[in-house]
mmCIF file of all heavy atoms in Angstrom:
data_model
loop_
_atom_site.group_PDB
_atom_site.id
_atom_site.type_symbol
_atom_site.label_atom_id
_atom_site.label_comp_id
_atom_site.label_asym_id
_atom_site.label_seq_id
_atom_site.Cartn_x
_atom_site.Cartn_y
_atom_site.Cartn_z
ATOM 1 N N GLU F 75 66.352 -131.174 49.197
ATOM 2 C CA GLU F 75 67.027 -132.032 48.226
ATOM 3 C C GLU F 75 67.522 -131.282 46.981
ATOM 4 O O GLU F 75 68.637 -131.521 46.533
ATOM 5 C CB GLU F 75 66.150 -133.225 47.822
ATOM 6 C CG GLU F 75 66.032 -134.297 48.885
ATOM 7 C CD GLU F 75 64.985 -133.972 49.936
ATOM 8 O OE1 GLU F 75 64.235 -132.984 49.782
ATOM 9 O OE2 GLU F 75 64.914 -134.709 50.933
ATOM 10 N N PRO F 76 66.707 -130.379 46.386
ATOM 11 C CA PRO F 76 67.241 -129.651 45.229
ATOM 12 C C PRO F 76 68.486 -128.825 45.595
ATOM 13 O O PRO F 76 69.423 -128.732 44.796
ATOM 14 C CB PRO F 76 66.085 -128.738 44.803
ATOM 15 C CG PRO F 76 64.868 -129.436 45.302
ATOM 16 C CD PRO F 76 65.289 -130.087 46.587
ATOM 17 N N PHE F 77 68.502 -128.252 46.785
ATOM 18 C CA PHE F 77 69.660 -127.461 47.219
ATOM 19 C C PHE F 77 70.885 -128.349 47.409
ATOM 20 O O PHE F 77 71.983 -127.992 47.002
ATOM 21 C CB PHE F 77 69.330 -126.718 48.517
ATOM 22 C CG PHE F 77 70.425 -125.829 48.998
ATOM 23 C CD1 PHE F 77 70.815 -124.714 48.246
ATOM 24 C CD2 PHE F 77 71.078 -126.062 50.187
ATOM 25 C CE1 PHE F 77 71.825 -123.873 48.681
ATOM 26 C CE2 PHE F 77 72.092 -125.229 50.630
ATOM 27 C CZ PHE F 77 72.459 -124.128 49.889
ATOM 28 N N VAL F 78 70.695 -129.505 47.994
ATOM 29 C CA VAL F 78 71.802 -130.442 48.177
ATOM 30 C C VAL F 78 72.347 -130.859 46.811
ATOM 31 O O VAL F 78 73.560 -130.884 46.589
ATOM 32 C CB VAL F 78 71.361 -131.676 49.005
ATOM 33 C CG1 VAL F 78 72.435 -132.749 48.996
ATOM 34 C CG2 VAL F 78 71.022 -131.257 50.424
ATOM 35 N N TYR F 79 71.439 -131.158 45.872
ATOM 36 C CA TYR F 79 71.865 -131.501 44.521
ATOM 37 C C TYR F 79 72.671 -130.351 43.914
ATOM 38 O O TYR F 79 73.721 -130.553 43.311
ATOM 39 C CB TYR F 79 70.655 -131.824 43.639
ATOM 40 C CG TYR F 79 71.038 -132.004 42.198
ATOM 41 C CD1 TYR F 79 71.548 -133.205 41.741
ATOM 42 C CD2 TYR F 79 70.930 -130.950 41.298
ATOM 43 C CE1 TYR F 79 71.933 -133.370 40.414
ATOM 44 C CE2 TYR F 79 71.305 -131.099 39.976
ATOM 45 C CZ TYR F 79 71.809 -132.310 39.545
ATOM 46 O OH TYR F 79 72.188 -132.457 38.238
ATOM 47 N N LEU F 80 72.169 -129.120 44.057
ATOM 48 C CA LEU F 80 72.845 -127.962 43.507
ATOM 49 C C LEU F 80 74.255 -127.822 44.095
ATOM 50 O O LEU F 80 75.227 -127.611 43.371
ATOM 51 C CB LEU F 80 72.044 -126.691 43.787
ATOM 52 C CG LEU F 80 72.696 -125.378 43.360
ATOM 53 C CD1 LEU F 80 72.823 -125.305 41.847
ATOM 54 C CD2 LEU F 80 71.900 -124.209 43.891
ATOM 55 N N LEU F 81 74.376 -127.971 45.403
ATOM 56 C CA LEU F 81 75.709 -127.865 46.023
ATOM 57 C C LEU F 81 76.652 -128.956 45.516
ATOM 58 O O LEU F 81 77.823 -128.686 45.244
ATOM 59 C CB LEU F 81 75.609 -127.919 47.549
ATOM 60 C CG LEU F 81 75.018 -126.697 48.228
ATOM 61 C CD1 LEU F 81 74.940 -126.928 49.733
ATOM 62 C CD2 LEU F 81 75.810 -125.437 47.921
ATOM 63 N N LYS F 82 76.148 -130.160 45.361
ATOM 64 C CA LYS F 82 76.991 -131.237 44.828
ATOM 65 C C LYS F 82 77.417 -130.930 43.397
ATOM 66 O O LYS F 82 78.558 -131.181 43.011
ATOM 67 C CB LYS F 82 76.256 -132.574 44.898
ATOM 68 C CG LYS F 82 76.151 -133.109 46.305
ATOM 69 C CD LYS F 82 75.473 -134.455 46.335
ATOM 70 C CE LYS F 82 75.425 -135.019 47.730
ATOM 71 N NZ LYS F 82 74.854 -136.352 47.756
ATOM 72 N N ARG F 83 76.504 -130.374 42.626
ATOM 73 C CA ARG F 83 76.834 -130.013 41.243
ATOM 74 C C ARG F 83 77.895 -128.908 41.230
ATOM 75 O O ARG F 83 78.814 -128.937 40.431
ATOM 76 C CB ARG F 83 75.549 -129.568 40.524
ATOM 77 C CG ARG F 83 75.724 -129.337 39.067
ATOM 78 C CD ARG F 83 75.944 -130.642 38.303
ATOM 79 N NE ARG F 83 76.077 -130.330 36.895
ATOM 80 C CZ ARG F 83 77.258 -130.248 36.253
ATOM 81 N NH1 ARG F 83 78.368 -130.508 36.887
ATOM 82 N NH2 ARG F 83 77.283 -129.927 34.993
ATOM 83 N N LEU F 84 77.763 -127.934 42.126
ATOM 84 C CA LEU F 84 78.760 -126.861 42.227
ATOM 85 C C LEU F 84 80.106 -127.401 42.684
ATOM 86 O O LEU F 84 81.152 -126.905 42.251
ATOM 87 C CB LEU F 84 78.268 -125.761 43.165
ATOM 88 C CG LEU F 84 77.054 -124.971 42.659
ATOM 89 C CD1 LEU F 84 76.521 -124.044 43.743
ATOM 90 C CD2 LEU F 84 77.360 -124.214 41.389
ATOM 91 N N MET F 85 80.101 -128.426 43.527
ATOM 92 C CA MET F 85 81.357 -129.072 43.923
ATOM 93 C C MET F 85 82.078 -129.599 42.690
ATOM 94 O O MET F 85 83.295 -129.475 42.565
ATOM 95 C CB MET F 85 81.094 -130.215 44.910
ATOM 96 C CG MET F 85 80.687 -129.756 46.295
ATOM 97 S SD MET F 85 80.135 -131.129 47.368
ATOM 98 C CE MET F 85 81.621 -132.092 47.499
ATOM 99 N N ASP F 86 81.316 -130.200 41.789
ATOM 100 C CA ASP F 86 81.894 -130.718 40.547
ATOM 101 C C ASP F 86 82.414 -129.586 39.663
ATOM 102 O O ASP F 86 83.503 -129.663 39.126
ATOM 103 C CB ASP F 86 80.852 -131.515 39.758
ATOM 104 C CG ASP F 86 80.487 -132.834 40.405
ATOM 105 O OD1 ASP F 86 81.266 -133.317 41.238
ATOM 106 O OD2 ASP F 86 79.423 -133.361 40.069
ATOM 107 N N ILE F 87 81.614 -128.552 39.507
ATOM 108 C CA ILE F 87 81.971 -127.434 38.622
ATOM 109 C C ILE F 87 83.214 -126.715 39.124
ATOM 110 O O ILE F 87 84.124 -126.419 38.352
ATOM 111 C CB ILE F 87 80.780 -126.457 38.490
ATOM 112 C CG1 ILE F 87 79.645 -127.132 37.710
ATOM 113 C CG2 ILE F 87 81.205 -125.154 37.821
ATOM 114 C CD1 ILE F 87 78.326 -126.410 37.784
ATOM 115 N N TYR F 88 83.246 -126.401 40.418
ATOM 116 C CA TYR F 88 84.358 -125.646 40.990
ATOM 117 C C TYR F 88 85.521 -126.515 41.450
ATOM 118 O O TYR F 88 86.563 -125.996 41.808
ATOM 119 C CB TYR F 88 83.885 -124.807 42.180
ATOM 120 C CG TYR F 88 82.850 -123.772 41.830
ATOM 121 C CD1 TYR F 88 81.748 -123.568 42.634
ATOM 122 C CD2 TYR F 88 82.974 -122.974 40.695
ATOM 123 C CE1 TYR F 88 80.801 -122.607 42.331
ATOM 124 C CE2 TYR F 88 82.028 -122.029 40.375
ATOM 125 C CZ TYR F 88 80.949 -121.840 41.203
ATOM 126 O OH TYR F 88 80.005 -120.901 40.892
ATOM 127 N N ASP F 89 85.322 -127.837 41.451
ATOM 128 C CA ASP F 89 86.326 -128.757 41.998
ATOM 129 C C ASP F 89 86.747 -128.261 43.378
ATOM 130 O O ASP F 89 87.928 -128.050 43.661
ATOM 131 C CB ASP F 89 87.530 -128.878 41.072
ATOM 132 C CG ASP F 89 88.454 -130.021 41.479
ATOM 133 O OD1 ASP F 89 87.963 -130.991 42.098
ATOM 134 O OD2 ASP F 89 89.670 -129.933 41.199
ATOM 135 N N ASP F 90 85.776 -128.076 44.221
ATOM 136 C CA ASP F 90 85.958 -127.463 45.525
ATOM 137 C C ASP F 90 84.904 -128.000 46.487
ATOM 138 O O ASP F 90 83.892 -128.558 46.044
ATOM 139 C CB ASP F 90 85.803 -125.946 45.373
ATOM 140 C CG ASP F 90 86.359 -125.137 46.533
ATOM 141 O OD1 ASP F 90 86.965 -125.727 47.442
ATOM 142 O OD2 ASP F 90 86.202 -123.896 46.507
ATOM 143 N N ILE F 91 85.126 -127.828 47.757
ATOM 144 C CA ILE F 91 84.118 -128.201 48.740
ATOM 145 C C ILE F 91 83.473 -126.934 49.298
ATOM 146 O O ILE F 91 84.134 -125.888 49.373
ATOM 147 C CB ILE F 91 84.708 -129.067 49.893
ATOM 148 C CG1 ILE F 91 85.841 -128.338 50.588
ATOM 149 C CG2 ILE F 91 85.169 -130.407 49.361
ATOM 150 C CD1 ILE F 91 86.313 -129.034 51.845
ATOM 151 N N PRO F 92 82.204 -126.994 49.679
ATOM 152 C CA PRO F 92 81.538 -125.786 50.177
ATOM 153 C C PRO F 92 82.040 -125.397 51.554
ATOM 154 O O PRO F 92 82.348 -126.248 52.389
ATOM 155 C CB PRO F 92 80.063 -126.176 50.210
ATOM 156 C CG PRO F 92 80.036 -127.655 50.232
ATOM 157 C CD PRO F 92 81.298 -128.126 49.588
ATOM 158 N N VAL F 93 82.106 -124.103 51.783
ATOM 159 C CA VAL F 93 82.433 -123.548 53.091
ATOM 160 C C VAL F 93 81.107 -123.273 53.786
ATOM 161 O O VAL F 93 80.269 -122.531 53.257
ATOM 162 C CB VAL F 93 83.243 -122.250 52.963
ATOM 163 C CG1 VAL F 93 83.507 -121.634 54.329
ATOM 164 C CG2 VAL F 93 84.546 -122.503 52.220
ATOM 165 N N ASP F 94 80.891 -123.888 54.941
ATOM 166 C CA ASP F 94 79.653 -123.705 55.693
ATOM 167 C C ASP F 94 79.715 -122.374 56.436
ATOM 168 O O ASP F 94 80.520 -122.201 57.351
ATOM 169 C CB ASP F 94 79.463 -124.867 56.661
ATOM 170 C CG ASP F 94 78.121 -124.861 57.382
ATOM 171 O OD1 ASP F 94 77.417 -123.837 57.330
ATOM 172 O OD2 ASP F 94 77.793 -125.888 57.994
ATOM 173 N N LEU F 95 78.858 -121.438 56.050
ATOM 174 C CA LEU F 95 78.806 -120.124 56.676
ATOM 175 C C LEU F 95 77.784 -120.063 57.808
ATOM 176 O O LEU F 95 77.597 -119.020 58.416
ATOM 177 C CB LEU F 95 78.472 -119.058 55.629
ATOM 178 C CG LEU F 95 79.399 -118.996 54.420
ATOM 179 C CD1 LEU F 95 78.879 -118.010 53.390
ATOM 180 C CD2 LEU F 95 80.812 -118.648 54.850
ATOM 181 N N GLY F 96 77.112 -121.178 58.060
ATOM 182 C CA GLY F 96 76.064 -121.231 59.087
ATOM 183 C C GLY F 96 74.713 -120.862 58.516
ATOM 184 O O GLY F 96 74.608 -120.212 57.472
ATOM 185 N N LYS F 97 73.664 -121.271 59.210
ATOM 186 C CA LYS F 97 72.281 -120.983 58.809
ATOM 187 C C LYS F 97 71.993 -121.391 57.376
ATOM 188 O O LYS F 97 71.321 -120.685 56.621
ATOM 189 C CB LYS F 97 71.963 -119.508 59.025
ATOM 190 C CG LYS F 97 72.024 -119.105 60.483
ATOM 191 C CD LYS F 97 71.570 -117.696 60.667
ATOM 192 C CE LYS F 97 71.629 -117.350 62.151
ATOM 193 N NZ LYS F 97 71.178 -115.989 62.399
ATOM 194 N N CYS F 98 72.527 -122.528 56.987
ATOM 195 C CA CYS F 98 72.315 -123.109 55.663
ATOM 196 C C CYS F 98 72.762 -122.174 54.539
ATOM 197 O O CYS F 98 72.101 -122.024 53.521
ATOM 198 C CB CYS F 98 70.871 -123.550 55.479
ATOM 199 S SG CYS F 98 70.752 -125.016 54.452
ATOM 200 N N ARG F 99 73.907 -121.554 54.756
ATOM 201 C CA ARG F 99 74.529 -120.671 53.769
ATOM 202 C C ARG F 99 75.914 -121.211 53.482
ATOM 203 O O ARG F 99 76.662 -121.543 54.397
ATOM 204 C CB ARG F 99 74.608 -119.242 54.312
ATOM 205 C CG ARG F 99 73.246 -118.656 54.579
ATOM 206 C CD ARG F 99 73.325 -117.315 55.303
ATOM 207 N NE ARG F 99 73.834 -116.296 54.412
ATOM 208 C CZ ARG F 99 74.915 -115.548 54.667
ATOM 209 N NH1 ARG F 99 75.601 -115.709 55.786
ATOM 210 N NH2 ARG F 99 75.330 -114.631 53.802
ATOM 211 N N TYR F 100 76.266 -121.278 52.196
ATOM 212 C CA TYR F 100 77.530 -121.867 51.780
ATOM 213 C C TYR F 100 78.191 -120.990 50.727
ATOM 214 O O TYR F 100 77.525 -120.284 49.965
ATOM 215 C CB TYR F 100 77.320 -123.273 51.186
ATOM 216 C CG TYR F 100 76.726 -124.239 52.177
ATOM 217 C CD1 TYR F 100 75.354 -124.350 52.327
ATOM 218 C CD2 TYR F 100 77.549 -125.022 52.976
ATOM 219 C CE1 TYR F 100 74.808 -125.231 53.247
ATOM 220 C CE2 TYR F 100 77.013 -125.911 53.897
ATOM 221 C CZ TYR F 100 75.648 -125.998 54.023
ATOM 222 O OH TYR F 100 75.104 -126.862 54.940
ATOM 223 N N SER F 101 79.496 -121.083 50.663
ATOM 224 C CA SER F 101 80.254 -120.428 49.595
ATOM 225 C C SER F 101 81.331 -121.404 49.151
ATOM 226 O O SER F 101 81.559 -122.445 49.787
ATOM 227 C CB SER F 101 80.877 -119.118 50.070
ATOM 228 O OG SER F 101 81.860 -119.368 51.055
ATOM 229 N N PHE F 102 81.984 -121.067 48.052
ATOM 230 C CA PHE F 102 83.089 -121.861 47.531
ATOM 231 C C PHE F 102 84.274 -120.930 47.336
ATOM 232 O O PHE F 102 84.137 -119.854 46.737
ATOM 233 C CB PHE F 102 82.716 -122.512 46.189
ATOM 234 C CG PHE F 102 81.692 -123.594 46.308
ATOM 235 C CD1 PHE F 102 80.336 -123.299 46.274
ATOM 236 C CD2 PHE F 102 82.084 -124.925 46.437
ATOM 237 C CE1 PHE F 102 79.397 -124.301 46.381
ATOM 238 C CE2 PHE F 102 81.137 -125.926 46.540
ATOM 239 C CZ PHE F 102 79.801 -125.615 46.512
ATOM 240 N N LYS F 103 85.418 -121.318 47.820
ATOM 241 C CA LYS F 103 86.619 -120.495 47.671
ATOM 242 C C LYS F 103 86.978 -120.297 46.199
ATOM 243 O O LYS F 103 87.499 -119.261 45.823
ATOM 244 C CB LYS F 103 87.794 -121.106 48.424
ATOM 245 C CG LYS F 103 87.629 -121.036 49.921
ATOM 246 C CD LYS F 103 88.812 -121.636 50.647
ATOM 247 C CE LYS F 103 88.576 -121.565 52.150
ATOM 248 N NZ LYS F 103 89.666 -122.165 52.900
ATOM 249 N N LYS F 104 86.694 -121.280 45.366
ATOM 250 C CA LYS F 104 87.033 -121.208 43.948
ATOM 251 C C LYS F 104 85.916 -120.616 43.088
ATOM 252 O O LYS F 104 86.034 -120.594 41.863
ATOM 253 C CB LYS F 104 87.399 -122.592 43.416
ATOM 254 C CG LYS F 104 88.659 -123.170 44.048
ATOM 255 C CD LYS F 104 88.968 -124.524 43.454
ATOM 256 C CE LYS F 104 90.195 -125.163 44.070
ATOM 257 N NZ LYS F 104 90.448 -126.491 43.498
ATOM 258 N N ASP F 105 84.861 -120.115 43.694
ATOM 259 C CA ASP F 105 83.743 -119.527 42.939
ATOM 260 C C ASP F 105 84.135 -118.145 42.442
ATOM 261 O O ASP F 105 84.285 -117.219 43.245
ATOM 262 C CB ASP F 105 82.510 -119.439 43.846
ATOM 263 C CG ASP F 105 81.293 -118.831 43.179
ATOM 264 O OD1 ASP F 105 81.394 -118.433 41.988
ATOM 265 O OD2 ASP F 105 80.253 -118.753 43.842
ATOM 266 N N PRO F 106 84.302 -117.959 41.135
ATOM 267 C CA PRO F 106 84.691 -116.641 40.622
ATOM 268 C C PRO F 106 83.591 -115.593 40.794
ATOM 269 O O PRO F 106 83.855 -114.396 40.722
ATOM 270 C CB PRO F 106 84.959 -116.908 39.132
ATOM 271 C CG PRO F 106 84.153 -118.109 38.821
ATOM 272 C CD PRO F 106 84.118 -118.941 40.075
ATOM 273 N N ASN F 107 82.359 -116.024 41.053
ATOM 274 C CA ASN F 107 81.239 -115.115 41.234
ATOM 275 C C ASN F 107 81.112 -114.610 42.676
ATOM 276 O O ASN F 107 80.384 -113.665 42.931
ATOM 277 C CB ASN F 107 79.930 -115.795 40.847
ATOM 278 C CG ASN F 107 79.984 -116.348 39.439
ATOM 279 O OD1 ASN F 107 80.416 -115.675 38.520
ATOM 280 N ND2 ASN F 107 79.568 -117.595 39.281
ATOM 281 N N ASN F 108 81.768 -115.275 43.611
ATOM 282 C CA ASN F 108 81.681 -114.940 45.041
ATOM 283 C C ASN F 108 80.250 -114.931 45.559
ATOM 284 O O ASN F 108 79.866 -114.098 46.371
ATOM 285 C CB ASN F 108 82.346 -113.584 45.329
ATOM 286 C CG ASN F 108 83.825 -113.655 45.136
ATOM 287 O OD1 ASN F 108 84.474 -114.617 45.545
ATOM 288 N ND2 ASN F 108 84.391 -112.655 44.495
ATOM 289 N N PHE F 109 79.448 -115.882 45.057
ATOM 290 C CA PHE F 109 78.077 -116.000 45.543
ATOM 291 C C PHE F 109 78.055 -116.669 46.915
ATOM 292 O O PHE F 109 78.937 -117.446 47.259
ATOM 293 C CB PHE F 109 77.234 -116.862 44.598
ATOM 294 C CG PHE F 109 76.879 -116.223 43.293
ATOM 295 C CD1 PHE F 109 76.845 -116.990 42.148
ATOM 296 C CD2 PHE F 109 76.557 -114.882 43.193
ATOM 297 C CE1 PHE F 109 76.491 -116.427 40.924
ATOM 298 C CE2 PHE F 109 76.202 -114.307 41.978
ATOM 299 C CZ PHE F 109 76.175 -115.086 40.842
ATOM 300 N N VAL F 110 77.000 -116.370 47.660
ATOM 301 C CA VAL F 110 76.649 -117.146 48.845
ATOM 302 C C VAL F 110 75.384 -117.886 48.472
ATOM 303 O O VAL F 110 74.406 -117.275 48.011
ATOM 304 C CB VAL F 110 76.428 -116.247 50.087
ATOM 305 C CG1 VAL F 110 75.885 -117.062 51.237
ATOM 306 C CG2 VAL F 110 77.724 -115.549 50.475
ATOM 307 N N TYR F 111 75.404 -119.206 48.628
ATOM 308 C CA TYR F 111 74.279 -120.062 48.272
ATOM 309 C C TYR F 111 73.524 -120.391 49.542
ATOM 310 O O TYR F 111 74.096 -120.901 50.495
ATOM 311 C CB TYR F 111 74.786 -121.331 47.594
ATOM 312 C CG TYR F 111 75.655 -121.027 46.391
ATOM 313 C CD1 TYR F 111 77.043 -120.909 46.520
ATOM 314 C CD2 TYR F 111 75.094 -120.818 45.143
ATOM 315 C CE1 TYR F 111 77.834 -120.615 45.422
ATOM 316 C CE2 TYR F 111 75.875 -120.517 44.045
ATOM 317 C CZ TYR F 111 77.248 -120.407 44.190
ATOM 318 O OH TYR F 111 78.026 -120.095 43.109
ATOM 319 N N GLN F 112 72.226 -120.092 49.537
ATOM 320 C CA GLN F 112 71.433 -120.249 50.762
ATOM 321 C C GLN F 112 70.169 -121.036 50.481
ATOM 322 O O GLN F 112 69.589 -120.952 49.392
ATOM 323 C CB GLN F 112 71.064 -118.872 51.299
ATOM 324 C CG GLN F 112 70.137 -118.916 52.497
ATOM 325 C CD GLN F 112 69.807 -117.532 53.004
ATOM 326 O OE1 GLN F 112 70.683 -116.679 53.094
ATOM 327 N NE2 GLN F 112 68.558 -117.299 53.330
ATOM 328 N N TRP F 113 69.729 -121.779 51.492
ATOM 329 C CA TRP F 113 68.442 -122.464 51.413
ATOM 330 C C TRP F 113 67.698 -122.245 52.715
ATOM 331 O O TRP F 113 68.302 -122.288 53.807
ATOM 332 C CB TRP F 113 68.620 -123.967 51.179
ATOM 333 C CG TRP F 113 67.290 -124.680 51.174
ATOM 334 C CD1 TRP F 113 66.460 -124.828 50.111
ATOM 335 C CD2 TRP F 113 66.628 -125.296 52.284
ATOM 336 N NE1 TRP F 113 65.319 -125.503 50.475
ATOM 337 C CE2 TRP F 113 65.406 -125.799 51.822
ATOM 338 C CE3 TRP F 113 66.949 -125.463 53.626
ATOM 339 C CZ2 TRP F 113 64.501 -126.470 52.650
ATOM 340 C CZ3 TRP F 113 66.057 -126.115 54.449
ATOM 341 C CH2 TRP F 113 64.853 -126.623 53.953
ATOM 342 N N ASP F 114 66.416 -122.004 52.644
ATOM 343 C CA ASP F 114 65.545 -122.053 53.816
ATOM 344 C C ASP F 114 64.172 -122.522 53.368
ATOM 345 O O ASP F 114 63.873 -122.536 52.179
ATOM 346 C CB ASP F 114 65.513 -120.723 54.584
ATOM 347 C CG ASP F 114 64.884 -119.580 53.809
ATOM 348 O OD1 ASP F 114 63.844 -119.779 53.154
ATOM 349 O OD2 ASP F 114 65.442 -118.481 53.874
ATOM 350 N N ASP F 115 63.348 -122.919 54.338
ATOM 351 C CA ASP F 115 62.055 -123.496 53.953
ATOM 352 C C ASP F 115 60.989 -122.441 53.658
ATOM 353 O O ASP F 115 59.877 -122.785 53.330
ATOM 354 C CB ASP F 115 61.569 -124.497 55.004
ATOM 355 C CG ASP F 115 61.266 -123.874 56.347
ATOM 356 O OD1 ASP F 115 61.468 -122.649 56.519
ATOM 357 O OD2 ASP F 115 60.845 -124.603 57.258
ATOM 358 N N LEU F 116 61.338 -121.185 53.721
ATOM 359 C CA LEU F 116 60.399 -120.138 53.350
ATOM 360 C C LEU F 116 60.608 -119.695 51.900
ATOM 361 O O LEU F 116 59.671 -119.672 51.109
ATOM 362 C CB LEU F 116 60.564 -118.929 54.290
ATOM 363 C CG LEU F 116 59.630 -117.749 54.040
ATOM 364 C CD1 LEU F 116 58.175 -118.149 54.214
ATOM 365 C CD2 LEU F 116 59.987 -116.614 55.001
#
Side-chain angles (χ1 to χ4, degrees):
E75 286 82 7
F77 183 65
V78 171
Y79 172 82
L80 176 66
L81 288 178
K82 287 182 178 184
R83 187 70 179 100
L84 293 172
M85 288 171 64
D86 290 340
I87 292 166
Y88 298 137
D89 192 27
D90 197 5
I91 58 171
V93 176
D94 187 347
L95 304 174
K97 296 186 179 181
C98 214
R99 298 172 71 237
Y100 298 88
S101 66
F102 290 87
K103 291 180 181 178
K104 295 181 181 179
D105 179 358
N107 306 313
N108 292 317
F109 287 143
V110 172
Y111 304 92
Q112 175 180 317
W113 177 86
D114 65 43
D115 65 358
L116 181 61

